[in-house]
Amino acid sequence: TGAMSGSRITSAAGKLRKLFKIRQVFARQVLKITRDFLNVLRRADPHAARIIDKVPGNFHHVGLIATLFPKAKIIHCISDPRDTCLSIFFGDFVGSHPYPYDLTNLDRY
């Protein structure tokens, strides 16, 4: 039978307490970010029952979306790339989307 030093248990317990504190801080930050995001959406349309965000680059953020909105439904649609490019080209994208206005860029993206 092996013996374990009490200081090792104390050390392990201290590490676990730190991890729990970090986890609690993380959970509070996730809730704050989620609330802030939902407030932006509510200002955009206070009566909307659902939000559809079809920005092409959202696939990069699926993990974040799942973290912020664990009950969100993520629908992955596969379309003909030409249809997707034309939809993006003629769409009204705002913000930092440099690719929509040049068909060559869209082809590469």
Side-chain angles (χ1 to χ4, degrees):
T1 312
M4 190 182 295
S5 164
S7 65
R8 288 188 183 144
I9 291 293
T10 303
S11 175
K15 289 177 183 177
L16 278 175
R17 277 193 295 277
K18 286 180 186 176
L19 286 175
F20 285 128
K21 286 179 185 176
I22 291 169
R23 184 175 175 187
Q24 289 171 343
V25 169
F26 177 76
R28 284 194 299 267
Q29 290 300 314
V30 166
L31 283 174
K32 182 186 179 330
I33 293 167
T34 302
R35 282 190 207 114
D36 291 348
F37 191 82
L38 288 173
N39 285 334
V40 169
L41 295 177
R42 283 189 192 103
R43 282 194 298 272
D45 188 345
H47 305 292
R50 289 177 178 71
I51 299 294
I52 298 170
D53 186 346
K54 63 178 199 166
V55 172
N58 280 347
F59 70 93
H60 291 291
H61 307 293
V62 169
L64 175 64
I65 294 166
T67 299
L68 296 177
F69 306 103
K71 294 181 181 179
K73 303 291 185 216
I74 298 173
I75 301 170
H76 177 225
C77 298
I78 299 174
S79 303
D80 183 309
R82 294 169 293 192
D83 292 334
T84 303
C85 283
L86 285 175
S87 175
I88 293 169
F89 186 73
F90 290 111
D92 184 22
F93 289 94
V94 294
S96 59
H97 299 286
Y99 51 85
Y101 308 107
D102 181 340
L103 290 175
T104 304
N105 281 344
L106 282 173
D107 182 47
R108 282 189 227 128
Y109 187 74

